[in-house]
Amino acid sequence: MGLYPPEFISMLKARKIAWFATVSTVAEARAAEAAGADAVVAQGMEAGGHRGCFDAARAESDMVGLFALLPAVADAVHIPVIAAGGIADGRGVAAALLLGASAAQIGTGFLRCPEAKIHPAWADALTHTPPEGTVVSRVFSGRAGRSIATDFVRAATAPGAPPPAPYPVQRGLTSVLREYAGKIGDVQHMQAWAGQSAAMARAESAKDVVHRIWEEAKAFLA
Ligand SMILES: Cc1cc2nc3c(=O)[nH]c(=O)nc-3n(C[C@H](O)[C@H](O)[C@H](O)COP(=O)(O)O)c2cc1C
């Protein structure tokens, strides 16, 4: 969610620690490269959860889809680009590589893996969440994040609903609701983060997901 201070970047370089900066616009990608990032993660607006937008206030106005963001970032910087946002199968990985990415980053596509340990009600809800069934809102934490458009999200973003408090106050205000929803298994009031490819997430081990997606991608690229 921004750039590290120059002194911190110098310490990373001195210790040979690679820094992959997450960017959501071309301007952020250029700034990250100029600051010394070793690679950029181009994060499209399809992505689940919070995004790494440098200016949190512009998270809703700077909404760039990965198909437009990726080639533009690949043209703008000379460091490797990792594609993120909406990728959850071999088609997405193959498309990302063709659009200029050196690798793909997947978040939502791993949420149903046993390793993710999310609530079963959240995992089930992902299976029937179409791309338009997710929404970016500030209702959970005060920062923009993409989640399933649950009853709570719809009510809290409806015209006339009170505006969310600034980050992280809103997180505190919703904590009791989120925890209680977890206890009773009520996904409609959970913090059910999800990207637009939610329905493509499969209940497989993380290892199997990686192998399956890479085999699919290789077949598309052969
Ligand atoms: C549950 C969850 C929480 C996330 N939290 C953050 C976050 O705090 N900051 C961030 O830059 N990205 C966050 N992400 C986005 C991931 O880093 C990744 O870029 C994204 O999941 C890729 O898009 P996808 O979800 O469509 O696969 C989160 C993703 C998920 C699924």
Side-chain angles (χ1 to χ4, degrees), residues 21-34:
T22 298
V23 302
S24 59
T25 64
V26 172
E28 289 174 0
R30 287 206 174 101
E33 181 177 45

Side-chain angles (χ1 to χ4, degrees), residues 51-172:
R51 285 187 303 138
C53 308
F54 288 14
D55 181 353
R58 295 182 57 92
E60 288 92 344
S61 54
D62 287 348
M63 293 274 261
V64 188
L66 187 62
F67 253 61
L69 180 66
L70 188 51
V73 168
D75 287 347
V77 300
H78 301 95
I79 49 179
V81 181
I82 296 132
I87 301 171
D89 68 6
R91 291 172 294 185
V93 171
L97 297 179
L98 289 174
L99 287 171
S102 299
Q105 181 188 92
I106 295 172
T108 302
F110 285 109
L111 283 179
R112 292 183 65 219
C113 299
E115 292 89 342
K117 295 191 172 69
I118 67 170
H119 197 289
W122 176 8
D124 285 349
L126 292 170
T127 64
H128 48 84
T129 297
E132 65 273 24
T134 69
V135 66
V136 173
S137 78
R138 294 179 179 253
V139 302
F140 292 113
S141 68
R143 283 190 89 135
R146 186 176 291 282
S147 70
I148 298 175
T150 59
D151 291 349
F152 169 65
V153 173
R154 287 183 211 278
T157 55
Y167 179 90
V169 177
Q170 184 72 7
R171 188 184 285 283

